[in-house]
Amino acid sequence: MAQGAKRAVGQVGAVIVLAVAVAAFLSVTAARHGFFDLQVYRGALVFWAHDGGHLYDYLRPATQYGFTYPPFAALVMLPMAYLSWHGAIVVSVAAGVVTGAVLIWWLLDPVSRRAGWTHWFAFAVALCLAAAFEPMRETINFGQVNTLLLFLVAVDLLRLLPGGSRWAGIGIGLATAIKLTPGIFIVYLLVTRRWRAAVTATGAATGATVLAAALFPDASREFWTTALWNTGRVGELAFISNQSLRGVVARLDPQHPSTLAWLVLVAATVALWAWRSRAAASAGDEAAGLALTGAVMCLVSPVTWVHHLVWLLPGFLLLVDNGMAAPPRSRRRRVLLVAVTVGYGFLISRIVWAWEWDFAGVDGFLFSNTYVWISLALLAFLPVRRPAPPVGPADSPVEPAGVAQLDQPERRTPAGHR
């Protein structure tokens, strides 16, 4: 058998073994939520479209959970009201897997090219590892929309904005109209002075919201005046799944969480994010901008359930990218690859749930907020491309951003961002 054929057979075998190992791991550790959130979405839409009820009056039986997204999200999800329950599950899982897989491909392909990895093999390994990643598996098990929103934002930051497209910002705008929290990416565009993209994003969000208001005036009025402000529909702030700064403060004193302490932490975190985001933008590192803004969104949002932490996935992939870009056997490579391994290990472990019922004491403070510390570490220490000197005629040409990179930690700056 030829050497290439032997290698292919070995890689196929390795992927099969890894897939079986991940499946076994998930069978033991993964929580089974029965597509709980999808039940809420579809139940509210059926109640609204077929039973004559008001969208935001619906509560899933025996719970306080109802539809909490803007009316434009209801418009996007409305076809689910005409699908069977199992049909809705198929659409939800397929959308989550496909959008997550495309994002992983976009971020992993440059690493594979530079490191000389077999593309399909690296992609298959990454998909298996992503399946074990707690935020990803929770997103799928709940029937959540996180990967769809992340995909829409990534279209802008990884594809349209680096290419100078006049449509850059439309994905961020649509994501914001579906769920308000991605609106922080509009702030990112403003902070980094991409005025045209910020206007496009704002226009897309406004247009989608106005369209929904024109089609569903009663639902729009109820959302913006009542449902948006009803925090009881979301859940308890101190619940262990709330891995945001607000959750940290709430777990210190569940009965009387300090709003002032939370706001001080948010202000400091946003200041750090603005500084790092500007550095990423000035270096032309839009992928780092995506990762940094995803991390700060998880930190400053009042409620960040574990499944929302799928926004940390770009940061983990970029740690691998920067680690492999460092010189072989260098300290930088070791530190970055160890960091991503440790962080990934925590985020497949469900470690925070060991303190679900008792998060008092030093151990409770440290370990019940483990995912918050990881988000903070990514925000503070995720490497950013360093600007390179302008390339003169005698120098080698700049390779396209996102296709090939230097072996050194410094990566060339795309021509449009010098």
Side-chain angles (χ1 to χ4, degrees), residues 90-178:
V90 169
V91 170
S92 174
V93 171
V97 170
V98 170
T99 52
V102 171
L103 175 70
I104 290 170
W105 177 264
W106 283 347
L107 291 170
L108 186 66
D109 185 55
V111 192
S112 299
R113 290 177 181 274
R114 184 183 58 248
W117 296 340
T118 304
H119 292 310
W120 75 264
F121 178 66
F123 183 57
V125 169
L127 287 182
C128 289
L129 296 178
F133 191 61
E134 185 175 357
M136 183 67 79
R137 70 192 192 221
E138 292 276 287
T139 287
I140 300 299
N141 284 335
F142 272 114
Q144 262 284 342
V145 297
N146 303 310
T147 59
L148 172 61
L149 301 178
L150 178 53
F151 172 78
L152 287 173
V153 172
V155 167
D156 275 342
L157 297 190
L158 301 183
R159 286 295 183 264
L160 299 183
L161 197 60
S165 171
R166 64 177 181 175
W167 297 104
I170 193 168
I172 291 172
L174 292 176
T176 303
I178 292 172

Side-chain angles (χ1 to χ4, degrees), residues 216-241:
F216 317 122
D218 292 340
S220 295
R221 187 181 309 110
E222 184 173 358
F223 175 78
W224 295 107
T225 61
T226 304
L228 175 61
W229 314 105
N230 184 1
T231 56
R233 295 162 63 92
V234 178
E236 296 295 327
L237 291 175
F239 182 44
I240 204 71
S241 185

Side-chain angles (χ1 to χ4, degrees), residues 240 243 247-249 251-252 265 355 358-373:
I240 204 71
Q243 292 292 305
V248 172
V249 172
R251 282 187 285 276
L252 290 173
L265 289 172
W355 282 264
D358 183 9
F359 37 75
V362 175
D363 63 320
F365 176 74
L366 292 176
F367 293 106
S368 71
N369 301 308
T370 298
Y371 302 164
V372 179
W373 312 143

Side-chain angles (χ1 to χ4, degrees), residues 37-125:
D37 289 358
L38 185 63
Q39 290 181 43
V40 174
Y41 303 154
R42 184 175 177 274
L45 293 168
V46 168
F47 180 69
W48 183 43
H50 298 304
D51 300 338
H54 293 288
L55 178 65
Y56 296 103
D57 287 347
Y58 174 84
L59 294 177
R60 187 179 184 275
T63 76
Q64 80 271 31
Y65 296 106
F67 196 85
T68 58
Y69 294 169
F72 181 70
L75 176 62
V76 173
M77 298 179 186
L78 191 57
M80 281 199 301
Y82 301 91
L83 293 176
S84 67
W85 170 236
H86 291 98
I89 290 175
V90 169
V91 170
S92 174
V93 171
V97 170
V98 170
T99 52
V102 171
L103 175 70
I104 290 170
W105 177 264
W106 283 347
L107 291 170
L108 186 66
D109 185 55
V111 192
S112 299
R113 290 177 181 274
R114 184 183 58 248
W117 296 340
T118 304
H119 292 310
W120 75 264
F121 178 66
F123 183 57
V125 169

Side-chain angles (χ1 to χ4, degrees), residues 72 173-174 176-177 186 198-213 224:
F72 181 70
L174 292 176
T176 303
I186 299 179
V199 169
T200 300
T202 303
T206 302
T209 301
V210 169
L211 173 63
W224 295 107

Side-chain angles (χ1 to χ4, degrees), residues 25 29 132 134 137 344-353 371:
F25 172 77
T29 62
E134 185 175 357
R137 70 192 192 221
Y344 174 80
F346 277 124
L347 271 164
I348 68 172
S349 67
R350 287 182 55 86
I351 186 173
V352 299
W353 297 97
Y371 302 164

